[in-house]
Amino acid sequence: MNTRSKLPDVGVTIFTVMSRLANEHGAINLSQGFPDFPVDPGLIDLVSAHMKNGRNQYAPMQGVPQLREAIALKTKELYGAVYDPETEITVTSGGTEALFAAITAVVNSGDEVIILEPAYDSYVPAVALAGGIPVFCPMRHPEYSVDWDMVIDRLSSRTRLIILNTPHNPTGAVLSAADIDALTGIVAGTDILILSDEVYEHVIFDGRVHHSMSRCPELASRSFVVGSFGKTFHATGWKVGYCLAPAGLSEEFRKVHQYLTFATSTPVQHAIADFLEKKETYLGLPLFYQRKRDYFLSLVRDSRFTAIPSAGTYFQMLDYSLISDERDLDFARRLTVSGGVASIPPSVFYDKPQDKKVLRFCFAKKNETLERAAERLCKI
Ligand code: PMP
Ligand code: GLN
């Protein structure tokens, strides 16, 4: 039977492919981004306590009030932005759901969507399913800065949305104050909306400021800002995220969310709301991950890989051009099968095949995991 696929070019995600390959070959898995250290036992106790107290039925569609209020408070304290928990904050089943719901809510058939490349892999299929047209703008290699002139060139009367991601997966780049100024100038006087994927807001290094769209009123008024507690609390398997957006945009967002998942795990939402009172947990993350990055870099310093500076996220890009001429997909496969370390080949995050000879490694790992991986990388 002809299934008439709506996503004929889409296969299994690279995260599943590389994690599976790593398991098959017993490789150390630095591919898919997830921590291999435990969640804070205090947070687990809270989930369990809420379950025992009977918080096991559907949560309100927009999220439990306690969590929406805690998110509002955190956003105000960190970014000086005021979002009304009643009408402007929605809890979602991970950042992924928030991204999909925002795109589905506002992209109509034939609308153009600016996508900076490399782009996290869930954006383009969501745009395609909404009937939108992705318009690709590669970032400048190797520093992965945004070429705003190219963005301006590729805008048209049909541009509906610009998708941004800061700190950026897979490159580790972060937007600067100058980027925010450029973006503000570009969208002024237009109806262009922004979808800002900020799931790594707390994983940013060397004293850099996270330039959330929520900080800047001109941008916040046209933005969906997406967060994820999976990254913040080392619990990627819990799938709790959120979307901040002005009331009109949140209303449209919720129309999709209510039929996509309706609501998100009730006891986990309550536990996260309580845990957010311990601000030191997320305020300590930049230093925690900066130390991991620095440790990983010190371990691979004597290898034949060359590091591309990472300013945020728990990913490190390593250039392998001194080692091999292979395409990143082939080299990543060989490194997993024979070298014993799995990584992500970033070319999969581009529309047109790229040959930049870099791989992405996740350093959200115990020091001993990083040590074992680096020992293998140094032998390549
Ligand atoms: N955006 C980016 C850039 C990510 O790296 C991730 C992590 N997988 C997500 C969104 C999705 O977040 P979540 O796991 O909360 O769905
Ligand atoms: N965000 C994670 C990464 O970039 C993986 C997410 C997933 O497996 N879908 O590695």
Side-chain angles (χ1 to χ4, degrees), residues 62-352:
Q62 62 276 45
V64 302
Q66 293 88 334
L67 181 53
R68 282 181 284 127
E69 275 154 26
I71 293 168
L73 185 65
K74 168 166 111 68
T75 309
K76 179 153 185 292
E77 286 180 356
L78 289 177
Y79 309 127
V82 177
Y83 285 90
D84 181 349
E86 269 311 299
T87 56
E88 302 186 313
I89 300 177
T90 310
V91 178
T92 58
S93 298
T96 309
E97 194 224 335
L99 294 165
F100 193 89
I103 291 167
T104 306
V106 299
V107 175
N108 290 285
S109 181
D111 284 350
E112 292 178 0
V113 179
I114 299 282
I115 308 240
L116 304 176
E117 290 186 306
Y120 183 63
D121 70 341
S122 80
Y123 307 157
V124 175
V127 170
L129 287 172
I133 301 163
V135 175
F136 297 101
C137 295
M139 298 197 288
R140 296 189 193 96
H141 175 83
E143 76 280 13
Y144 296 105
S145 57
V146 180
D147 183 343
W148 293 110
D149 289 333
M150 180 190 288
V151 173
I152 292 170
D153 253 17
R154 298 191 180 176
L155 295 178
S156 83
S157 57
R158 292 192 301 172
T159 309
R160 175 69 168 151
L161 184 67
I162 299 178
I163 303 184
L164 299 170
N165 173 210
T166 185
H168 185 264
N169 177 10
T171 67
V174 301
L175 292 184
S176 66
D179 289 315
I180 297 298
D181 287 348
L183 178 64
T184 309
I186 287 173
V187 295
T190 74
D191 289 332
I192 299 173
L193 301 174
I194 296 168
L195 171 55
S196 186
D197 179 347
E198 302 182 11
V199 299
Y200 297 102
E201 63 182 320
H202 300 302
V203 190
I204 185 159
F205 313 133
D206 307 316
R208 280 188 181 77
V209 171
H210 169 55
H211 286 285
S212 172
M213 296 304 127
S214 66
R215 278 182 191 274
C216 172
E218 293 97 315
L219 298 179
S221 65
R222 58 174 81 231
S223 293
F224 297 95
V225 176
V226 171
S228 169
F229 294 109
K231 321 291 169 190
T232 303
F233 294 134
H234 313 312
T236 60
W238 290 8
K239 299 299 287 189
V240 183
Y242 59 92
C243 176
L244 313 173
L249 291 180
S250 284
E251 195 181 328
E252 294 307 309
F253 179 93
R254 287 177 179 181
K255 288 181 190 173
V256 179
H257 163 73
Q258 68 183 346
Y259 295 123
L260 190 53
T261 56
F262 182 71
T264 297
S265 168
T266 310
V268 177
Q269 287 194 60
H270 280 289
I272 291 175
D274 295 346
F275 204 65
L276 280 170
E277 285 171 22
K278 295 174 185 280
K279 294 180 193 164
E280 65 282 4
T281 52
Y282 57 87
L283 294 180
L285 273 191
L287 190 57
F288 173 80
Y289 274 121
Q290 184 176 319
R291 287 192 175 131
K292 291 252 171 240
R293 177 202 61 176
D294 291 345
Y295 190 52
F296 182 55
L297 286 179
S298 74
L299 293 170
V300 295
R301 187 157 298 136
D302 293 332
S303 73
R304 291 193 294 150
F305 290 92
T306 315
I308 294 180
S310 167
T313 77
Y314 43 52
F315 303 115
Q316 176 64 54
M317 299 276 261
L318 296 180
D319 178 303
Y320 62 86
S321 54
L322 295 178
I323 304 171
S324 167
D325 274 341
E326 285 159 285
R327 293 181 319 145
D328 63 359
L329 278 156
D330 299 330
F331 186 61
R333 169 169 277 279
R334 190 163 69 83
L335 188 60
T336 308
V337 174
S338 339
V341 181
S343 59
I344 293 289
S347 64
V348 299
F349 301 125
Y350 288 85
D351 181 47
K352 300 256 169 349

